[in-house]
Amino acid sequence: MIGIDIRFMTRDMQDGIISSGVGLFCAEVLSGMKEADRKGIVLIVNADQRKTAGKLFGEYNVIEFNPLNRGKYRKDLREIDERRYDRFLKMHRIRCLWIPFANPHHFYTVSIPVISTIHDLITIRNDPDNLTWKRAFQNIIEKSRNIITVSDYVRKDILREFESTDPNKITVIPCPVVVGDETEEVNELKERDYILDVNAFLKRKNAVTLLRAYALSGLSSRCDLVFCGGYYREDVLEELKEATAELRLEEKVHIYLAVSIRKRNWLLKNAVMLVSPSLSEGFGRSPVEAAICKIPVITSISDSLTEATLGMVHYYREAENAEQLSTVLTELYDNPPAEEELQRISAAMKERYDPERIAAAYMSLFRQYDAGE
C-alpha cells in the first residue's frame, strides 16, 4: 500500500477550493493516476481535512492522522508524533510514503521508505544564515529514500547546497499542469483588454515591478492590469494597493484575492498576455497555464522560469528592472504572436506537463518499494 500525506493542504482545501500551486500540483498528480493504481493508494489527512478530502478526492481511500503537536513547536511532542506516525503507517500496511510538499513543517522521520518532493530551497535562499532551517532540509534529504524535484534547476540547487548528496538519489519529475474547462466571467473585465499576473502576493513574486512597468509603458490608455493571487504575506497586498494609488491607476488596476478556480480559469483564458516578473521560482506554474491556453507570456529569467516554459515564450533579463519590462510589454502588446505559434507552444506544454504521464512516472517509483524491491 502506498501512503500519500496531503496534510500540508489543510489551509489550501478550505471551502473545497485548492488555492496554492503546491496544492494544485498534488491534486493534478492524483487526477492523473489510473483507476487500478488508485486502489493501492491511501491519502493521509487530518480531522480538519477529512470532509473536504472526501469531496475533492472521493475516488481514493482516506485515513486520518492527527498530531499532538498542533500549536507552538515543541521538540518533545514532535518526537512522540514521529513514533505515533510510524506505528500508524505500519498499522495501515503502508510500505511506501510519498510527501508531495516536503519541508521541515511537513516531514517526519519514519522507518518505511519515504519519497519526498522538494519544490525549491527558497526559504534557505531568503535566510542563508538560518542554520536550523538548512539542517532541517538536510535531514529531509538524508532520511528520504528518493528525492523528486520539480525542475532541473531545483535538482542542481540541492546539489550545490548539500554537496554530499548522491546525485542518483534525485529524480526530476515536473509538475503536471492542466487548466480546467469550467469558467465564470469576471463581470467588470468582460469588455476590457487586460494584462494578467497570477501569483501569490509575496515580495519575491515582484508584482510592484510589473505595476511600475505598466505605468511606464503607457499601456494604461489601451488595456487594464490584473493581479490575481491565492494568498498574501508580508503586507505585499497593501503595498501593491498603495503603489497603485500613488501612480493614480486605481481605475485601471484590478487586484483579486483567492477567487474561485472557475474565475481564475476565465482570467487566464481571456488575458491579452500573462506576465510573471518573479524573482525566484522552483517551477513556475502560471506561465505554463497561460501558454497552454494560447495566451502570450512574458517572464523574467529567474531560476527555473526559462526551463519551465521550455524557452518558448518572451523573457526579460533583469527581474526588477521596470524600464526593461516596460519595453517588452509594449513590443508584445503591439506585435502578438501568430495563432499558429501560440498553438505550437500550447501543444508542447500539454505534452510536457500531461498529468497521466507525470503520474505514471511517480507510480513507477512507488512500485519499487510497494513491491518490496
Side-chain angles (χ1 to χ4, degrees), residues 159-204:
L159 294 174
R160 281 192 298 266
E161 189 66 37
F162 303 101
E163 296 178 357
S164 62
T165 303
D166 179 2
N168 296 319
K169 187 177 185 176
I170 307 177
T171 303
V172 178
I173 303 177
C175 296
V177 182
V178 174
V179 181
D181 293 328
E182 293 186 350
T183 63
E184 181 182 347
E185 281 186 342
V186 178
N187 290 331
E188 64 183 318
L189 294 173
K190 63 183 181 181
E191 302 296 333
R192 298 172 182 248
D193 283 351
Y194 59 89
I195 296 167
L196 177 65
D197 179 358
V198 178
N199 274 308
F201 295 106
L202 306 172
K203 287 188 184 297
R204 68 179 177 87

mmCIF file of all heavy atoms in Angstrom, residues 159-204:
data_model
loop_
_atom_site.group_PDB
_atom_site.id
_atom_site.type_symbol
_atom_site.label_atom_id
_atom_site.label_comp_id
_atom_site.label_asym_id
_atom_site.label_seq_id
_atom_site.Cartn_x
_atom_site.Cartn_y
_atom_site.Cartn_z
ATOM 1 N N LEU A 159 22.083 20.041 -5.072
ATOM 2 C CA LEU A 159 23.447 19.511 -5.156
ATOM 3 C C LEU A 159 24.491 20.574 -4.831
ATOM 4 O O LEU A 159 25.554 20.257 -4.282
ATOM 5 C CB LEU A 159 23.693 18.918 -6.542
ATOM 6 C CG LEU A 159 22.860 17.673 -6.886
ATOM 7 C CD1 LEU A 159 23.088 17.260 -8.335
ATOM 8 C CD2 LEU A 159 23.186 16.527 -5.932
ATOM 9 N N ARG A 160 24.195 21.837 -5.144
ATOM 10 C CA ARG A 160 25.107 22.923 -4.764
ATOM 11 C C ARG A 160 25.083 23.161 -3.265
ATOM 12 O O ARG A 160 26.122 23.371 -2.625
ATOM 13 C CB ARG A 160 24.714 24.217 -5.489
ATOM 14 C CG ARG A 160 25.152 24.316 -6.928
ATOM 15 C CD ARG A 160 24.976 25.740 -7.447
ATOM 16 N NE ARG A 160 23.577 26.156 -7.421
ATOM 17 C CZ ARG A 160 22.751 26.052 -8.453
ATOM 18 N NH1 ARG A 160 23.183 25.532 -9.592
ATOM 19 N NH2 ARG A 160 21.500 26.461 -8.359
ATOM 20 N N GLU A 161 23.881 23.160 -2.698
ATOM 21 C CA GLU A 161 23.721 23.489 -1.282
ATOM 22 C C GLU A 161 24.147 22.343 -0.373
ATOM 23 O O GLU A 161 24.716 22.565 0.698
ATOM 24 C CB GLU A 161 22.259 23.850 -1.004
ATOM 25 C CG GLU A 161 21.997 24.424 0.382
ATOM 26 C CD GLU A 161 22.651 25.769 0.581
ATOM 27 O OE1 GLU A 161 22.699 26.582 -0.374
ATOM 28 O OE2 GLU A 161 23.125 26.021 1.719
ATOM 29 N N PHE A 162 23.858 21.113 -0.795
ATOM 30 C CA PHE A 162 24.167 19.936 0.023
ATOM 31 C C PHE A 162 25.094 19.029 -0.794
ATOM 32 O O PHE A 162 24.658 18.086 -1.454
ATOM 33 C CB PHE A 162 22.875 19.206 0.416
ATOM 34 C CG PHE A 162 21.905 20.090 1.147
ATOM 35 C CD1 PHE A 162 20.812 20.646 0.490
ATOM 36 C CD2 PHE A 162 22.087 20.383 2.489
ATOM 37 C CE1 PHE A 162 19.917 21.471 1.161
ATOM 38 C CE2 PHE A 162 21.205 21.213 3.173
ATOM 39 C CZ PHE A 162 20.115 21.759 2.508
ATOM 40 N N GLU A 163 26.372 19.344 -0.748
ATOM 41 C CA GLU A 163 27.349 18.743 -1.657
ATOM 42 C C GLU A 163 27.514 17.245 -1.477
ATOM 43 O O GLU A 163 27.952 16.548 -2.395
ATOM 44 C CB GLU A 163 28.704 19.443 -1.495
ATOM 45 C CG GLU A 163 28.674 20.915 -1.898
ATOM 46 C CD GLU A 163 30.001 21.605 -1.687
ATOM 47 O OE1 GLU A 163 30.936 20.937 -1.167
ATOM 48 O OE2 GLU A 163 30.119 22.788 -2.033
ATOM 49 N N SER A 164 27.177 16.729 -0.294
ATOM 50 C CA SER A 164 27.354 15.296 -0.053
ATOM 51 C C SER A 164 26.195 14.450 -0.615
ATOM 52 O O SER A 164 26.246 13.217 -0.559
ATOM 53 C CB SER A 164 27.476 15.028 1.453
ATOM 54 O OG SER A 164 26.288 15.412 2.126
ATOM 55 N N THR A 165 25.181 15.093 -1.160
ATOM 56 C CA THR A 165 24.016 14.366 -1.676
ATOM 57 C C THR A 165 24.388 13.550 -2.909
ATOM 58 O O THR A 165 25.046 14.049 -3.828
ATOM 59 C CB THR A 165 22.886 15.350 -2.041
ATOM 60 O OG1 THR A 165 22.558 16.129 -0.898
ATOM 61 C CG2 THR A 165 21.641 14.602 -2.519
ATOM 62 N N ASP A 166 23.962 12.312 -2.942
ATOM 63 C CA ASP A 166 24.180 11.449 -4.097
ATOM 64 C C ASP A 166 23.278 11.915 -5.243
ATOM 65 O O ASP A 166 22.048 11.892 -5.118
ATOM 66 C CB ASP A 166 23.845 9.998 -3.729
ATOM 67 C CG ASP A 166 24.011 9.029 -4.887
ATOM 68 O OD1 ASP A 166 24.419 9.463 -5.982
ATOM 69 O OD2 ASP A 166 23.720 7.830 -4.689
ATOM 70 N N PRO A 167 23.854 12.331 -6.377
ATOM 71 C CA PRO A 167 23.015 12.804 -7.492
ATOM 72 C C PRO A 167 22.018 11.754 -7.974
ATOM 73 O O PRO A 167 20.948 12.111 -8.476
ATOM 74 C CB PRO A 167 24.033 13.130 -8.593
ATOM 75 C CG PRO A 167 25.330 13.326 -7.880
ATOM 76 C CD PRO A 167 25.295 12.417 -6.689
ATOM 77 N N ASN A 168 22.368 10.482 -7.826
ATOM 78 C CA ASN A 168 21.482 9.409 -8.287
ATOM 79 C C ASN A 168 20.229 9.275 -7.423
ATOM 80 O O ASN A 168 19.289 8.571 -7.793
ATOM 81 C CB ASN A 168 22.226 8.082 -8.318
ATOM 82 C CG ASN A 168 23.357 8.088 -9.326
ATOM 83 O OD1 ASN A 168 23.200 8.610 -10.432
ATOM 84 N ND2 ASN A 168 24.503 7.546 -8.950
ATOM 85 N N LYS A 169 20.249 9.942 -6.279
ATOM 86 C CA LYS A 169 19.100 9.889 -5.370
ATOM 87 C C LYS A 169 17.992 10.846 -5.810
ATOM 88 O O LYS A 169 16.859 10.760 -5.334
ATOM 89 C CB LYS A 169 19.578 10.243 -3.954
ATOM 90 C CG LYS A 169 18.566 10.077 -2.853
ATOM 91 C CD LYS A 169 19.210 10.399 -1.510
ATOM 92 C CE LYS A 169 18.269 10.119 -0.354
ATOM 93 N NZ LYS A 169 18.913 10.330 0.965
ATOM 94 N N ILE A 170 18.318 11.766 -6.710
ATOM 95 C CA ILE A 170 17.376 12.819 -7.105
ATOM 96 C C ILE A 170 16.860 12.563 -8.513
ATOM 97 O O ILE A 170 17.634 12.348 -9.448
ATOM 98 C CB ILE A 170 18.032 14.210 -7.044
ATOM 99 C CG1 ILE A 170 18.666 14.453 -5.674
ATOM 100 C CG2 ILE A 170 17.005 15.293 -7.355
ATOM 101 C CD1 ILE A 170 19.392 15.783 -5.575
ATOM 102 N N THR A 171 15.558 12.597 -8.656
ATOM 103 C CA THR A 171 14.901 12.443 -9.953
ATOM 104 C C THR A 171 14.084 13.700 -10.240
ATOM 105 O O THR A 171 13.398 14.216 -9.355
ATOM 106 C CB THR A 171 13.952 11.231 -9.955
ATOM 107 O OG1 THR A 171 14.698 10.064 -9.616
ATOM 108 C CG2 THR A 171 13.300 11.039 -11.315
ATOM 109 N N VAL A 172 14.148 14.185 -11.463
ATOM 110 C CA VAL A 172 13.337 15.345 -11.862
ATOM 111 C C VAL A 172 12.038 14.847 -12.489
ATOM 112 O O VAL A 172 12.050 14.129 -13.488
ATOM 113 C CB VAL A 172 14.090 16.238 -12.865
ATOM 114 C CG1 VAL A 172 13.201 17.415 -13.291
ATOM 115 C CG2 VAL A 172 15.393 16.746 -12.266
ATOM 116 N N ILE A 173 10.930 15.204 -11.858
ATOM 117 C CA ILE A 173 9.602 14.959 -12.431
ATOM 118 C C ILE A 173 8.847 16.288 -12.346
ATOM 119 O O ILE A 173 8.555 16.754 -11.247
ATOM 120 C CB ILE A 173 8.824 13.864 -11.675
ATOM 121 C CG1 ILE A 173 9.622 12.554 -11.635
ATOM 122 C CG2 ILE A 173 7.465 13.636 -12.335
ATOM 123 C CD1 ILE A 173 8.931 11.445 -10.845
ATOM 124 N N PRO A 174 8.546 16.922 -13.458
ATOM 125 C CA PRO A 174 7.927 18.249 -13.393
ATOM 126 C C PRO A 174 6.500 18.196 -12.851
ATOM 127 O O PRO A 174 5.898 17.132 -12.722
ATOM 128 C CB PRO A 174 7.947 18.714 -14.852
ATOM 129 C CG PRO A 174 7.960 17.454 -15.646
ATOM 130 C CD PRO A 174 8.747 16.457 -14.839
ATOM 131 N N CYS A 175 5.982 19.354 -12.533
ATOM 132 C CA CYS A 175 4.597 19.453 -12.093
ATOM 133 C C CYS A 175 3.661 19.203 -13.276
ATOM 134 O O CYS A 175 3.902 19.700 -14.380
ATOM 135 C CB CYS A 175 4.296 20.845 -11.547
ATOM 136 S SG CYS A 175 5.211 21.298 -10.078
ATOM 137 N N PRO A 176 2.590 18.456 -13.063
ATOM 138 C CA PRO A 176 1.555 18.403 -14.095
ATOM 139 C C PRO A 176 0.821 19.739 -14.137
ATOM 140 O O PRO A 176 0.702 20.411 -13.111
ATOM 141 C CB PRO A 176 0.641 17.281 -13.615
ATOM 142 C CG PRO A 176 0.821 17.243 -12.140
ATOM 143 C CD PRO A 176 2.225 17.696 -11.861
ATOM 144 N N VAL A 177 0.362 20.116 -15.300
ATOM 145 C CA VAL A 177 -0.374 21.384 -15.421
ATOM 146 C C VAL A 177 -1.562 21.191 -16.348
ATOM 147 O O VAL A 177 -1.406 20.763 -17.496
ATOM 148 C CB VAL A 177 0.517 22.520 -15.965
ATOM 149 C CG1 VAL A 177 -0.284 23.828 -16.036
ATOM 150 C CG2 VAL A 177 1.755 22.722 -15.098
ATOM 151 N N VAL A 178 -2.735 21.503 -15.819
ATOM 152 C CA VAL A 178 -3.973 21.448 -16.601
ATOM 153 C C VAL A 178 -4.789 22.688 -16.257
ATOM 154 O O VAL A 178 -4.816 23.115 -15.101
ATOM 155 C CB VAL A 178 -4.797 20.191 -16.254
ATOM 156 C CG1 VAL A 178 -6.143 20.218 -16.959
ATOM 157 C CG2 VAL A 178 -4.039 18.926 -16.637
ATOM 158 N N VAL A 179 -5.431 23.258 -17.247
ATOM 159 C CA VAL A 179 -6.370 24.348 -16.997
ATOM 160 C C VAL A 179 -7.762 23.821 -17.316
ATOM 161 O O VAL A 179 -8.029 23.392 -18.442
ATOM 162 C CB VAL A 179 -6.057 25.580 -17.862
ATOM 163 C CG1 VAL A 179 -7.047 26.710 -17.545
ATOM 164 C CG2 VAL A 179 -4.631 26.053 -17.629
ATOM 165 N N GLY A 180 -8.636 23.826 -16.319
ATOM 166 C CA GLY A 180 -9.968 23.254 -16.489
ATOM 167 C C GLY A 180 -10.817 24.009 -17.496
ATOM 168 O O GLY A 180 -10.596 25.190 -17.785
ATOM 169 N N ASP A 181 -11.826 23.322 -18.006
ATOM 170 C CA ASP A 181 -12.729 23.926 -18.993
ATOM 171 C C ASP A 181 -13.771 24.838 -18.358
ATOM 172 O O ASP A 181 -14.297 25.742 -19.020
ATOM 173 C CB ASP A 181 -13.447 22.823 -19.779
ATOM 174 C CG ASP A 181 -12.494 22.017 -20.650
ATOM 175 O OD1 ASP A 181 -11.504 22.596 -21.124
ATOM 176 O OD2 ASP A 181 -12.742 20.807 -20.839
ATOM 177 N N GLU A 182 -14.089 24.606 -17.088
ATOM 178 C CA GLU A 182 -15.147 25.385 -16.443
ATOM 179 C C GLU A 182 -14.665 26.790 -16.122
ATOM 180 O O GLU A 182 -13.599 26.981 -15.533
ATOM 181 C CB GLU A 182 -15.614 24.687 -15.165
ATOM 182 C CG GLU A 182 -16.320 23.355 -15.418
ATOM 183 C CD GLU A 182 -16.901 22.772 -14.154
ATOM 184 O OE1 GLU A 182 -16.592 23.294 -13.069
ATOM 185 O OE2 GLU A 182 -17.657 21.798 -14.248
ATOM 186 N N THR A 183 -15.454 27.775 -16.510
ATOM 187 C CA THR A 183 -15.094 29.178 -16.268
ATOM 188 C C THR A 183 -16.295 29.949 -15.743
ATOM 189 O O THR A 183 -17.442 29.530 -15.895
ATOM 190 C CB THR A 183 -14.605 29.857 -17.561
ATOM 191 O OG1 THR A 183 -15.666 29.875 -18.516
ATOM 192 C CG2 THR A 183 -13.393 29.161 -18.147
ATOM 193 N N GLU A 184 -15.998 31.075 -15.139
ATOM 194 C CA GLU A 184 -17.036 32.013 -14.687
ATOM 195 C C GLU A 184 -16.544 33.423 -14.964
ATOM 196 O O GLU A 184 -15.455 33.806 -14.523
ATOM 197 C CB GLU A 184 -17.308 31.835 -13.195
ATOM 198 C CG GLU A 184 -18.384 32.769 -12.662
ATOM 199 C CD GLU A 184 -18.615 32.616 -11.167
ATOM 200 O OE1 GLU A 184 -18.121 31.626 -10.579
ATOM 201 O OE2 GLU A 184 -19.277 33.510 -10.577
ATOM 202 N N GLU A 185 -17.318 34.187 -15.696
ATOM 203 C CA GLU A 185 -16.907 35.532 -16.081
ATOM 204 C C GLU A 185 -16.643 36.420 -14.875
ATOM 205 O O GLU A 185 -17.355 36.363 -13.872
ATOM 206 C CB GLU A 185 -17.996 36.200 -16.923
ATOM 207 C CG GLU A 185 -18.026 35.757 -18.367
ATOM 208 C CD GLU A 185 -19.032 36.562 -19.164
ATOM 209 O OE1 GLU A 185 -19.918 37.209 -18.557
ATOM 210 O OE2 GLU A 185 -18.934 36.538 -20.399
ATOM 211 N N VAL A 186 -15.627 37.261 -15.010
ATOM 212 C CA VAL A 186 -15.410 38.352 -14.071
ATOM 213 C C VAL A 186 -16.042 39.577 -14.726
ATOM 214 O O VAL A 186 -15.494 40.150 -15.680
ATOM 215 C CB VAL A 186 -13.915 38.560 -13.799
ATOM 216 C CG1 VAL A 186 -13.701 39.739 -12.854
ATOM 217 C CG2 VAL A 186 -13.287 37.285 -13.226
ATOM 218 N N ASN A 187 -17.211 39.932 -14.253
ATOM 219 C CA ASN A 187 -18.066 40.877 -14.979
ATOM 220 C C ASN A 187 -17.384 42.192 -15.329
ATOM 221 O O ASN A 187 -17.544 42.708 -16.443
ATOM 222 C CB ASN A 187 -19.341 41.155 -14.167
ATOM 223 C CG ASN A 187 -20.261 39.954 -14.136
ATOM 224 O OD1 ASN A 187 -20.279 39.153 -15.055
ATOM 225 N ND2 ASN A 187 -21.020 39.818 -13.056
ATOM 226 N N GLU A 188 -16.608 42.743 -14.406
ATOM 227 C CA GLU A 188 -16.036 44.069 -14.666
ATOM 228 C C GLU A 188 -14.937 44.039 -15.730
ATOM 229 O O GLU A 188 -14.502 45.093 -16.199
ATOM 230 C CB GLU A 188 -15.485 44.665 -13.370
ATOM 231 C CG GLU A 188 -14.327 43.898 -12.763
ATOM 232 C CD GLU A 188 -13.884 44.526 -11.443
ATOM 233 O OE1 GLU A 188 -13.818 45.757 -11.369
ATOM 234 O OE2 GLU A 188 -13.590 43.759 -10.510
ATOM 235 N N LEU A 189 -14.508 42.834 -16.133
ATOM 236 C CA LEU A 189 -13.426 42.732 -17.107
ATOM 237 C C LEU A 189 -13.879 42.195 -18.474
ATOM 238 O O LEU A 189 -13.090 42.186 -19.413
ATOM 239 C CB LEU A 189 -12.312 41.819 -16.572
ATOM 240 C CG LEU A 189 -11.550 42.319 -15.353
ATOM 241 C CD1 LEU A 189 -10.600 41.240 -14.846
ATOM 242 C CD2 LEU A 189 -10.769 43.592 -15.680
ATOM 243 N N LYS A 190 -15.123 41.772 -18.573
ATOM 244 C CA LYS A 190 -15.516 41.042 -19.791
ATOM 245 C C LYS A 190 -15.504 41.907 -21.047
ATOM 246 O O LYS A 190 -15.428 41.377 -22.154
ATOM 247 C CB LYS A 190 -16.869 40.374 -19.605
ATOM 248 C CG LYS A 190 -18.033 41.297 -19.371
ATOM 249 C CD LYS A 190 -19.295 40.465 -19.134
ATOM 250 C CE LYS A 190 -20.515 41.342 -18.904
ATOM 251 N NZ LYS A 190 -21.720 40.527 -18.649
ATOM 252 N N GLU A 191 -15.534 43.222 -20.913
ATOM 253 C CA GLU A 191 -15.459 44.099 -22.079
ATOM 254 C C GLU A 191 -14.111 44.802 -22.168
ATOM 255 O O GLU A 191 -13.958 45.759 -22.923
ATOM 256 C CB GLU A 191 -16.577 45.154 -22.018
ATOM 257 C CG GLU A 191 -17.979 44.583 -21.939
ATOM 258 C CD GLU A 191 -18.363 43.794 -23.183
ATOM 259 O OE1 GLU A 191 -17.802 44.097 -24.266
ATOM 260 O OE2 GLU A 191 -19.190 42.864 -23.073
ATOM 261 N N ARG A 192 -13.129 44.330 -21.398
ATOM 262 C CA ARG A 192 -11.839 45.019 -21.334
ATOM 263 C C ARG A 192 -10.695 44.106 -21.768
ATOM 264 O O ARG A 192 -10.721 42.908 -21.518
ATOM 265 C CB ARG A 192 -11.547 45.498 -19.907
ATOM 266 C CG ARG A 192 -12.549 46.519 -19.355
ATOM 267 C CD ARG A 192 -12.274 46.751 -17.882
ATOM 268 N NE ARG A 192 -13.227 47.682 -17.285
ATOM 269 C CZ ARG A 192 -12.907 48.900 -16.849
ATOM 270 N NH1 ARG A 192 -11.662 49.320 -16.939
ATOM 271 N NH2 ARG A 192 -13.821 49.675 -16.308
ATOM 272 N N ASP A 193 -9.672 44.706 -22.385
ATOM 273 C CA ASP A 193 -8.400 44.015 -22.564
ATOM 274 C C ASP A 193 -7.603 44.175 -21.271
ATOM 275 O O ASP A 193 -7.643 45.244 -20.639
ATOM 276 C CB ASP A 193 -7.602 44.636 -23.714
ATOM 277 C CG ASP A 193 -8.126 44.216 -25.076
ATOM 278 O OD1 ASP A 193 -8.991 43.320 -25.135
ATOM 279 O OD2 ASP A 193 -7.663 44.786 -26.079
ATOM 280 N N TYR A 194 -6.873 43.130 -20.896
ATOM 281 C CA TYR A 194 -6.076 43.250 -19.669
ATOM 282 C C TYR A 194 -4.839 42.361 -19.729
ATOM 283 O O TYR A 194 -4.818 41.298 -20.347
ATOM 284 C CB TYR A 194 -6.907 42.894 -18.424
ATOM 285 C CG TYR A 194 -7.486 41.500 -18.433
ATOM 286 C CD1 TYR A 194 -6.779 40.413 -17.912
ATOM 287 C CD2 TYR A 194 -8.754 41.266 -18.981
ATOM 288 C CE1 TYR A 194 -7.318 39.137 -17.932
ATOM 289 C CE2 TYR A 194 -9.298 39.984 -19.007
ATOM 290 C CZ TYR A 194 -8.567 38.930 -18.479
ATOM 291 O OH TYR A 194 -9.099 37.658 -18.505
ATOM 292 N N ILE A 195 -3.791 42.846 -19.087
ATOM 293 C CA ILE A 195 -2.561 42.087 -18.835
ATOM 294 C C ILE A 195 -2.740 41.416 -17.475
ATOM 295 O O ILE A 195 -3.241 42.035 -16.537
ATOM 296 C CB ILE A 195 -1.341 43.024 -18.817
ATOM 297 C CG1 ILE A 195 -1.150 43.660 -20.197
ATOM 298 C CG2 ILE A 195 -0.080 42.286 -18.376
ATOM 299 C CD1 ILE A 195 -0.183 44.831 -20.203
ATOM 300 N N LEU A 196 -2.310 40.178 -17.354
ATOM 301 C CA LEU A 196 -2.587 39.380 -16.153
ATOM 302 C C LEU A 196 -1.302 38.906 -15.483
ATOM 303 O O LEU A 196 -0.358 38.479 -16.142
ATOM 304 C CB LEU A 196 -3.435 38.165 -16.540
ATOM 305 C CG LEU A 196 -3.786 37.155 -15.435
ATOM 306 C CD1 LEU A 196 -4.677 37.789 -14.376
ATOM 307 C CD2 LEU A 196 -4.470 35.929 -16.051
ATOM 308 N N ASP A 197 -1.312 38.969 -14.150
ATOM 309 C CA ASP A 197 -0.261 38.353 -13.322
ATOM 310 C C ASP A 197 -0.967 37.451 -12.315
ATOM 311 O O ASP A 197 -1.744 37.929 -11.483
ATOM 312 C CB ASP A 197 0.543 39.440 -12.599
ATOM 313 C CG ASP A 197 1.639 38.889 -11.689
ATOM 314 O OD1 ASP A 197 1.772 37.647 -11.569
ATOM 315 O OD2 ASP A 197 2.354 39.698 -11.064
ATOM 316 N N VAL A 198 -0.729 36.132 -12.404
ATOM 317 C CA VAL A 198 -1.301 35.177 -11.453
ATOM 318 C C VAL A 198 -0.174 34.661 -10.561
ATOM 319 O O VAL A 198 0.614 33.805 -10.973
ATOM 320 C CB VAL A 198 -1.997 34.002 -12.171
ATOM 321 C CG1 VAL A 198 -2.537 33.004 -11.149
ATOM 322 C CG2 VAL A 198 -3.137 34.507 -13.051
ATOM 323 N N ASN A 199 -0.091 35.200 -9.380
ATOM 324 C CA ASN A 199 0.941 34.810 -8.413
ATOM 325 C C ASN A 199 0.458 35.151 -7.009
ATOM 326 O O ASN A 199 -0.291 36.123 -6.823
ATOM 327 C CB ASN A 199 2.258 35.566 -8.666
ATOM 328 C CG ASN A 199 3.156 34.900 -9.683
ATOM 329 O OD1 ASN A 199 3.457 33.712 -9.573
ATOM 330 N ND2 ASN A 199 3.589 35.659 -10.682
ATOM 331 N N ALA A 200 0.902 34.380 -6.029
ATOM 332 C CA ALA A 200 0.633 34.768 -4.646
ATOM 333 C C ALA A 200 1.220 36.152 -4.392
ATOM 334 O O ALA A 200 2.193 36.559 -5.042
ATOM 335 C CB ALA A 200 1.255 33.749 -3.693
ATOM 336 N N PHE A 201 0.621 36.870 -3.452
ATOM 337 C CA PHE A 201 1.105 38.213 -3.134
ATOM 338 C C PHE A 201 2.240 38.099 -2.120
ATOM 339 O O PHE A 201 2.051 38.218 -0.910
ATOM 340 C CB PHE A 201 -0.043 39.080 -2.622
ATOM 341 C CG PHE A 201 -1.105 39.334 -3.653
ATOM 342 C CD1 PHE A 201 -2.340 38.701 -3.579
ATOM 343 C CD2 PHE A 201 -0.859 40.179 -4.723
ATOM 344 C CE1 PHE A 201 -3.312 38.921 -4.539
ATOM 345 C CE2 PHE A 201 -1.828 40.407 -5.697
ATOM 346 C CZ PHE A 201 -3.061 39.775 -5.599
ATOM 347 N N LEU A 202 3.436 37.829 -2.651
ATOM 348 C CA LEU A 202 4.665 37.705 -1.869
ATOM 349 C C LEU A 202 5.712 38.634 -2.463
ATOM 350 O O LEU A 202 5.698 38.912 -3.668
ATOM 351 C CB LEU A 202 5.195 36.262 -1.916
ATOM 352 C CG LEU A 202 4.252 35.135 -1.519
ATOM 353 C CD1 LEU A 202 4.902 33.780 -1.811
ATOM 354 C CD2 LEU A 202 3.915 35.238 -0.040
ATOM 355 N N LYS A 203 6.654 39.089 -1.658
ATOM 356 C CA LYS A 203 7.689 40.006 -2.156
ATOM 357 C C LYS A 203 8.460 39.404 -3.321
ATOM 358 O O LYS A 203 8.763 40.093 -4.297
ATOM 359 C CB LYS A 203 8.647 40.388 -1.023
ATOM 360 C CG LYS A 203 8.043 41.355 -0.008
ATOM 361 C CD LYS A 203 9.087 41.853 0.966
ATOM 362 C CE LYS A 203 8.466 42.750 2.053
ATOM 363 N NZ LYS A 203 7.863 43.971 1.487
ATOM 364 N N ARG A 204 8.764 38.117 -3.220
ATOM 365 C CA ARG A 204 9.579 37.505 -4.271
ATOM 366 C C ARG A 204 8.836 37.367 -5.601
ATOM 367 O O ARG A 204 9.450 37.127 -6.634
ATOM 368 C CB ARG A 204 10.111 36.145 -3.814
ATOM 369 C CG ARG A 204 9.060 35.058 -3.649
ATOM 370 C CD ARG A 204 9.726 33.749 -3.213
ATOM 371 N NE ARG A 204 8.772 32.698 -2.969
ATOM 372 C CZ ARG A 204 8.306 31.879 -3.903
ATOM 373 N NH1 ARG A 204 8.714 32.014 -5.159
ATOM 374 N NH2 ARG A 204 7.446 30.925 -3.600
#
